[in-house]
Amino acid sequence: SFGKESGIISEVKAIQKIGNSMYLGTSSGLVKFNSDSRSFQPLPGNNTGMVINLVADGDDLIVPGQQLQVVRGSKTITLNGPDDGSRPVYAFIPKQHPNLLLVGSNQGLLEYRRGLSKDFPWEYKGKIPGVDKSNGYIYIFEENDGTIFYLVTGKIYALNVTKEVLASDSQSVI
């Protein structure tokens, strides 16, 4: 078992394994298990604020936090986003749309598309129209038929996904 003696000094919010590496999203940032010292240690240059969601993307780890980052081995890539103070909270790659990355933020739902280079694996496309700013937690899920729903500030909305355009049904479905 792991606890304070193994470097876990704040509340664990998320856990993800990529290859042989184990990562924790905690209330004080991202930590990675170091097998030599058998302890969890912060990664330099990575999110230091609360991290409640980690997403595996092949050999990459997507980390929403103070910034949206991708951890690739020992390298961290900070992704571009809007210049409006958006703080990424929750990231999601739909199974039926693997080239789409949806990111819930305090300023709305953000759209990223898989990039064309390894240096920038995801390209910011914009905010999805019809999504309210969030004062609370955002959660995104996908039905078996590919329909994507998101929960924001107590409402559940449907997301229409096409190849070129994302649009929200601005009416709550529930």
Side-chain angles (χ1 to χ4, degrees):
S1 77
F2 298 100
K4 201 175 239 183
E5 68 285 346
S6 60
I8 301 175
I9 58 172
S10 59
E11 184 179 359
V12 175
K13 303 286 188 178
I15 185 169
Q16 187 63 254
K17 189 169 183 191
I18 303 288
N20 291 327
S21 299
M22 185 184 327
Y23 298 87
L24 301 178
T26 73
S27 56
S28 60
L30 180 68
V31 295
K32 179 181 178 183
F33 185 70
N34 180 317
S35 57
D36 293 335
S37 65
R38 300 212 30 85
S39 66
F40 287 91
Q41 299 174 348
L43 295 176
N46 283 280
N47 283 309
T48 56
M50 185 179 302
V51 175
I52 62 172
N53 170 241
L54 299 170
V55 177
D57 181 28
D59 292 334
D60 292 346
L61 178 69
I62 299 172
V63 184
Q66 290 176 329
Q67 302 168 319
L68 185 60
Q69 297 179 323
V70 174
V71 175
R72 178 176 289 154
S74 61
K75 181 180 178 184
T76 298
I77 302 165
T78 299
L79 301 178
N80 293 328
D83 294 326
D84 63 358
S86 290
R87 183 183 184 283
V89 177
Y90 190 88
F92 182 79
I93 300 173
K95 287 183 177 27
Q96 294 199 23
H97 302 281
N99 293 324
L100 173 65
L101 172 63
L102 299 172
V103 178
S105 80
N106 61 326
Q107 298 294 321
L109 192 58
L110 312 178
E111 174 189 355
Y112 288 78
R113 296 287 177 151
R114 198 169 294 279
L116 299 176
S117 82
K118 289 191 174 199
D119 292 334
F120 294 99
W122 294 95
E123 181 182 352
Y124 174 66
K125 293 297 189 178
K127 290 183 183 174
I128 297 175
V131 178
D132 295 333
K133 292 181 180 181
S134 172
N135 293 327
Y137 189 71
I138 296 172
Y139 184 75
I140 306 164
F141 63 97
E142 179 181 22
E143 285 286 341
N144 291 336
D145 67 359
T147 303
I148 297 171
F149 294 93
Y150 60 93
L151 168 71
V152 59
T153 55
K155 296 178 183 177
I156 297 176
Y157 294 90
L159 185 65
N160 300 317
V161 181
T162 67
K163 189 171 185 175
E164 297 299 323
V165 178
L166 286 177
S168 169
D169 175 355
S170 60
Q171 300 297 314
S172 175
V173 296
I174 293 182

